[in-house]
Amino acid sequence: MPPILVDLEVTRQKFRSELDAWKREPEYSRRGWILLREDETVPLVELAFLARTSVGAPPLGSALLPIVTCAVRLTFENYDLWPPSLTFIDAFSREPSVPIVRAFLATPDGPRDVLINAHPITKLPFLCLPGIREYHTHPQHSGDDWLLHRVAKDGCLSTICDRLWRTMARNVVGLSVSVQTLPVVPLQAQLVVQVTQGEFEGRRPLPTEKIEGRGEK
């Protein structure tokens, strides 16, 4: 357990204030932000982020398939002397997991992937953005202290959720599906479903992770 540097009741009050404000905002649910779990003991919150994808040509093209692009656990130990810690989790098992999409941040030089596959301390994927504890504890960011960002509310719940949505859900533009036969006996086929990310201004889709399945044929 981390050391207690902030009175736990103070941390809980700050957490409850942010979570209550988050719940009162109807736009968040319309964006596909889903509250999975809340716990004031730590305190922590678990959330899932949905993207809408079209399923086929008209008339089916008007139907939308919701996809959980990522789910996260945010813990608020010593908040806000410390920023929240973010862990990507499986939405079903709640165990640490690698998300099925990347986190593309728009920059003047083009999209930049801010999802890093392994943190040197936790060994888990992390979101490399200010306001996230794993960013500020990374050795390469020792000169960018959290306290420089606290006044800007970079670590508040709504800000982190907005960044996750913009980099990992809002930019999902569809699915690509391919089937490849495998030269084995009995004959098998490999189904690959790829979540495609891109910008809404007509830019080229970005490379993403794949979801693979295999079945006999």
Side-chain angles (χ1 to χ4, degrees):
M1 294 292 293
I4 298 177
L5 304 177
V6 177
D7 185 278
L8 186 55
E9 188 55 36
V10 173
T11 296
R12 287 171 175 166
Q13 289 178 6
K14 291 182 178 181
F15 169 75
R16 173 50 58 188
S17 176
E18 290 197 13
L19 184 57
D20 287 346
W22 189 95
K23 290 179 177 178
R24 289 193 298 268
E25 178 50 70
E27 177 63 23
Y28 296 163
S29 61
R30 289 194 289 266
R31 288 182 175 185
W33 303 3
I34 308 299
L35 177 62
L36 301 176
R37 177 192 172 201
E38 59 181 280
D39 185 348
E40 289 192 28
T41 304
V42 174
L44 67 79
V45 63
E46 294 177 346
L47 305 148
F49 295 82
L50 304 181
R52 302 182 181 94
T53 57
S54 179
V55 288
L60 292 178
S62 60
L64 295 175
L65 174 68
I67 298 175
V68 177
T69 59
C70 71
V72 299
R73 178 185 300 116
L74 290 166
T75 60
F76 289 76
E77 300 97 340
N78 293 316
Y79 187 70
D80 59 352
L81 180 62
W82 290 0
S85 173
L86 186 153
T87 303
F88 290 100
I89 60 173
D90 181 276
F92 294 96
S93 70
R94 310 297 173 83
E95 294 296 322
S97 178
V98 179
I100 64 171
V101 298
R102 305 302 298 176
F104 289 108
L105 180 69
T107 74
D109 298 323
R112 177 168 65 92
D113 187 2
V114 293
L115 175 61
I116 309 302
N117 292 333
H119 191 278
I121 299 175
T122 68
K123 311 304 181 184
L124 296 173
F126 75 102
L127 195 67
C128 189
L129 289 174
I132 304 296
R133 190 183 309 167
E134 286 71 23
Y135 169 90
H136 294 286
T137 58
H138 195 287
Q140 292 183 357
H141 302 143
S142 59
D144 194 10
D145 191 84
W146 151 245
L147 297 180
L148 300 174
H149 297 267
R150 184 171 67 171
V151 68
K153 303 294 185 181
D154 284 346
C156 76
L157 179 59
S158 59
T159 298
I160 293 175
C161 287
D162 185 73
R163 289 174 173 174
L164 285 165
W165 175 66
R166 291 181 184 278
T167 60
M168 303 184 75
R170 182 178 180 269
N171 57 8
V172 169
V173 296
L175 297 174
S176 61
V177 181
S178 62
V179 179
Q180 179 181 7
T181 58
L182 304 177
V184 295
V185 179
L187 183 63
Q188 293 183 348
Q190 179 171 273
L191 174 67
V192 178
V193 180
Q194 184 171 359
V195 180
T196 306
Q197 293 171 269
E199 298 295 336
F200 290 106
E201 293 77 20
R203 296 181 184 176
R204 184 175 58 185
L206 303 168
T208 59
E209 296 291 319
K210 296 180 180 180
I211 310 170
E212 298 188 0
R214 179 177 297 181
E216 295 186 359
K217 184 176 178 180

Coordinates of all heavy atoms in Angstrom, one line a residue, residues 143-183:
G143 N 11.4 15.9 -15.0 CA 11.4 17.3 -15.0 C 10.1 17.9 -15.2 O 9.9 19.2 -15.2
D144 N 9.0 17.1 -15.3 CA 7.7 17.6 -15.5 C 6.8 17.2 -14.3 O 6.0 16.3 -14.4 CB 7.1 17.1 -16.9 CG 5.9 17.8 -17.3 OD1 5.5 18.8 -16.7 OD2 5.2 17.3 -18.2
D145 N 7.0 17.9 -13.2 CA 6.4 17.5 -12.0 C 4.8 17.7 -12.0 O 4.3 18.6 -12.7 CB 6.9 18.3 -10.8 CG 6.5 17.7 -9.5 OD1 7.2 16.8 -9.0 OD2 5.5 18.2 -8.9
W146 N 4.1 16.8 -11.4 CA 2.7 16.9 -11.3 C 2.2 18.2 -10.8 O 1.2 18.7 -11.3 CB 2.1 15.7 -10.5 CG 0.8 16.0 -9.8 CD1 0.6 16.1 -8.5 CD2 -0.4 16.2 -10.4 NE1 -0.7 16.4 -8.2 CE2 -1.4 16.5 -9.4 CE3 -0.9 16.3 -11.8 CZ2 -2.7 16.7 -9.7 CZ3 -2.2 16.6 -12.0 CH2 -3.1 16.8 -11.0
L147 N 2.9 18.8 -9.8 CA 2.4 20.0 -9.2 C 2.4 21.2 -10.2 O 1.7 22.2 -10.0 CB 3.3 20.4 -8.0 CG 3.2 19.3 -6.8 CD1 4.1 19.8 -5.7 CD2 1.8 19.1 -6.3
L148 N 3.1 21.0 -11.3 CA 3.1 22.0 -12.3 C 1.8 22.0 -13.1 O 1.4 22.9 -13.8 CB 4.3 21.9 -13.3 CG 5.7 22.0 -12.7 CD1 6.7 21.6 -13.8 CD2 5.9 23.4 -12.2
H149 N 1.1 20.9 -13.0 CA -0.2 20.7 -13.8 C -1.4 20.7 -12.9 O -2.5 20.7 -13.5 CB -0.1 19.3 -14.6 CG 1.0 19.2 -15.6 ND1 0.8 19.6 -16.9 CD2 2.3 18.9 -15.5 CE1 2.0 19.4 -17.6 NE2 2.9 19.0 -16.7
R150 N -1.2 20.6 -11.6 CA -2.4 20.4 -10.8 C -3.4 21.6 -10.9 O -4.6 21.4 -10.9 CB -1.9 20.3 -9.3 CG -3.1 20.0 -8.3 CD -2.6 19.6 -7.0 NE -1.9 20.8 -6.3 CZ -1.6 20.7 -5.0 NH1 -1.8 19.7 -4.3 NH2 -1.0 21.8 -4.5
V151 N -2.8 22.8 -11.0 CA -3.7 24.0 -11.0 C -4.5 24.0 -12.3 O -5.6 24.6 -12.3 CB -2.8 25.3 -10.9 CG1 -2.0 25.5 -12.2 CG2 -3.7 26.5 -10.7
A152 N -4.1 23.4 -13.4 CA -4.8 23.3 -14.6 C -5.8 22.2 -14.6 O -6.5 22.0 -15.7 CB -3.8 23.1 -15.8
K153 N -6.0 21.4 -13.5 CA -6.9 20.4 -13.4 C -6.7 19.2 -14.4 O -7.6 18.5 -14.9 CB -8.4 20.9 -13.6 CG -8.8 22.0 -12.6 CD -8.8 21.5 -11.2 CE -9.3 22.6 -10.3 NZ -9.3 22.1 -8.8
D154 N -5.4 19.0 -14.8 CA -5.1 18.0 -15.7 C -5.4 16.6 -15.2 O -5.5 15.6 -15.9 CB -3.6 18.0 -16.1 CG -3.3 19.1 -17.1 OD1 -4.3 19.7 -17.7 OD2 -2.1 19.5 -17.3
G155 N -5.5 16.4 -13.8 CA -5.7 15.1 -13.2 C -7.1 14.9 -12.8 O -7.4 13.9 -12.2
C156 N -8.0 15.9 -13.1 CA -9.4 15.7 -12.6 C -10.1 14.6 -13.5 O -9.7 14.3 -14.6 CB -10.2 17.0 -12.6 SG -10.7 17.6 -14.2
L157 N -11.2 14.0 -12.9 CA -11.8 12.9 -13.5 C -12.3 13.2 -14.9 O -12.1 12.5 -15.9 CB -13.0 12.4 -12.6 CG -13.8 11.2 -13.1 CD1 -12.9 10.0 -13.4 CD2 -14.9 10.9 -12.2
S158 N -13.0 14.4 -15.1 CA -13.6 14.7 -16.4 C -12.5 15.0 -17.4 O -12.7 14.6 -18.6 CB -14.5 15.9 -16.2 OG -13.8 17.0 -15.7
T159 N -11.4 15.6 -17.0 CA -10.3 15.8 -18.0 C -9.7 14.5 -18.5 O -9.5 14.4 -19.7 CB -9.3 16.7 -17.3 OG1 -9.8 18.0 -17.0 CG2 -8.1 16.9 -18.3
I160 N -9.4 13.6 -17.6 CA -8.9 12.3 -18.0 C -9.8 11.6 -18.9 O -9.4 11.0 -19.9 CB -8.5 11.5 -16.8 CG1 -7.4 12.1 -16.0 CG2 -8.1 10.1 -17.2 CD1 -7.0 11.5 -14.7
C161 N -11.1 11.6 -18.6 CA -12.1 10.9 -19.4 C -12.2 11.5 -20.8 O -12.3 10.8 -21.8 CB -13.5 10.9 -18.7 SG -13.6 9.8 -17.3
D162 N -12.1 12.8 -20.9 CA -12.2 13.5 -22.2 C -11.0 13.1 -23.0 O -11.1 12.9 -24.2 CB -12.3 15.0 -21.9 CG -12.5 15.8 -23.3 OD1 -13.6 15.7 -23.8 OD2 -11.5 16.4 -23.7
R163 N -9.8 13.0 -22.4 CA -8.6 12.7 -23.2 C -8.7 11.2 -23.6 O -8.3 10.9 -24.8 CB -7.4 12.9 -22.3 CG -7.1 14.4 -22.2 CD -6.0 14.7 -21.2 NE -5.6 16.1 -21.2 CZ -4.7 16.6 -20.4 NH1 -4.1 15.9 -19.5 NH2 -4.5 17.9 -20.5
L164 N -9.2 10.3 -22.8 CA -9.4 8.9 -23.2 C -10.4 8.8 -24.4 O -10.1 8.1 -25.4 CB -9.9 8.1 -22.0 CG -8.8 7.7 -21.0 CD1 -9.5 7.3 -19.7 CD2 -7.9 6.7 -21.5
W165 N -11.5 9.6 -24.3 CA -12.5 9.5 -25.3 C -12.0 10.0 -26.6 O -12.2 9.4 -27.7 CB -13.7 10.3 -24.9 CG -14.8 10.5 -25.9 CD1 -15.6 9.5 -26.3 CD2 -15.2 11.7 -26.5 NE1 -16.5 10.0 -27.3 CE2 -16.3 11.4 -27.4 CE3 -14.8 13.0 -26.4 CZ2 -16.9 12.3 -28.1 CZ3 -15.5 14.0 -27.2 CH2 -16.5 13.6 -28.0
R166 N -11.2 11.2 -26.6 CA -10.8 11.8 -27.8 C -9.7 10.9 -28.5 O -9.6 10.9 -29.7 CB -10.3 13.2 -27.6 CG -11.4 14.2 -27.2 CD -10.9 15.6 -26.9 NE -11.9 16.4 -26.5 CZ -12.8 17.0 -27.3 NH1 -12.7 16.8 -28.6 NH2 -13.8 17.8 -26.9
T167 N -8.8 10.3 -27.7 CA -7.7 9.6 -28.3 C -8.0 8.1 -28.6 O -7.3 7.5 -29.4 CB -6.5 9.6 -27.4 OG1 -6.8 9.1 -26.1 CG2 -6.0 11.1 -27.2
M168 N -9.1 7.5 -27.9 CA -9.3 6.1 -28.0 C -10.7 5.7 -28.4 O -10.9 4.5 -28.5 CB -8.8 5.4 -26.7 CG -7.4 5.7 -26.3 SD -6.9 4.8 -24.8 CE -6.7 3.2 -25.4
A169 N -11.6 6.6 -28.5 CA -13.0 6.2 -28.8 C -13.6 7.1 -29.9 O -14.2 6.6 -30.9 CB -13.9 6.3 -27.5
R170 N -13.5 8.4 -29.7 CA -14.1 9.3 -30.7 C -13.6 9.1 -32.1 O -14.2 9.3 -33.1 CB -14.0 10.7 -30.3 CG -14.6 11.8 -31.2 CD -14.4 13.2 -30.6 NE -15.0 14.2 -31.5 CZ -14.4 14.8 -32.4 NH1 -13.1 14.5 -32.7 NH2 -15.0 15.7 -33.2
N171 N -12.3 8.7 -32.2 CA -11.6 8.6 -33.5 C -11.8 7.2 -34.1 O -11.1 6.9 -35.1 CB -10.1 8.9 -33.3 CG -9.4 8.1 -32.3 OD1 -10.0 7.1 -31.8 ND2 -8.2 8.4 -32.0
V172 N -12.6 6.3 -33.6 CA -12.9 5.0 -34.2 C -13.8 5.3 -35.4 O -14.9 5.8 -35.2 CB -13.5 4.0 -33.2 CG1 -14.0 2.8 -33.9 CG2 -12.4 3.6 -32.1
V173 N -13.4 4.8 -36.6 CA -14.2 5.1 -37.8 C -14.8 3.9 -38.3 O -15.6 3.9 -39.3 CB -13.4 5.8 -38.8 CG1 -12.9 7.2 -38.3 CG2 -12.2 5.0 -39.2
G174 N -14.5 2.7 -37.8 CA -15.1 1.5 -38.3 C -14.4 0.2 -38.0 O -13.4 0.2 -37.2
L175 N -14.8 -0.9 -38.7 CA -14.2 -2.2 -38.5 C -13.8 -2.7 -39.9 O -14.5 -2.4 -40.9 CB -15.1 -3.2 -37.9 CG -15.6 -2.9 -36.4 CD1 -16.7 -3.9 -36.1 CD2 -14.5 -3.0 -35.5
S176 N -12.7 -3.4 -39.9 CA -12.3 -4.1 -41.2 C -12.2 -5.6 -40.8 O -11.6 -5.9 -39.8 CB -11.0 -3.6 -41.7 OG -9.9 -3.8 -40.8
V177 N -12.8 -6.4 -41.7 CA -12.8 -7.8 -41.4 C -12.2 -8.6 -42.6 O -12.4 -8.3 -43.7 CB -14.3 -8.3 -41.2 CG1 -14.3 -9.8 -40.9 CG2 -15.0 -7.6 -40.1
S178 N -11.3 -9.5 -42.3 CA -10.7 -10.3 -43.3 C -10.6 -11.8 -42.9 O -10.5 -12.1 -41.7 CB -9.2 -9.8 -43.6 OG -8.4 -9.9 -42.5
V179 N -10.7 -12.7 -43.8 CA -10.6 -14.1 -43.6 C -9.5 -14.7 -44.4 O -9.4 -14.5 -45.6 CB -12.0 -14.8 -44.0 CG1 -11.9 -16.3 -43.7 CG2 -13.1 -14.2 -43.2
Q180 N -8.6 -15.5 -43.7 CA -7.5 -16.1 -44.3 C -7.5 -17.6 -44.1 O -7.6 -18.0 -43.0 CB -6.2 -15.4 -43.8 CG -4.9 -16.0 -44.4 CD -3.7 -15.4 -43.8 OE1 -3.7 -14.7 -42.9 NE2 -2.5 -15.8 -44.4
T181 N -7.4 -18.3 -45.2 CA -7.4 -19.8 -45.0 C -5.9 -20.2 -44.6 O -5.0 -19.6 -45.1 CB -7.8 -20.5 -46.3 OG1 -7.0 -20.1 -47.4 CG2 -9.2 -20.2 -46.6
L182 N -5.8 -21.2 -43.8 CA -4.5 -21.7 -43.3 C -4.2 -23.0 -44.0 O -5.1 -23.9 -44.1 CB -4.6 -21.8 -41.8 CG -4.9 -20.6 -41.0 CD1 -5.0 -20.8 -39.5 CD2 -3.9 -19.4 -41.3
P183 N -3.0 -23.2 -44.4 CA -2.6 -24.5 -45.1 C -2.3 -25.6 -44.2 O -1.2 -26.1 -44.0 CB -1.3 -24.1 -45.9 CG -0.7 -23.0 -45.0 CD -1.9 -22.2 -44.4

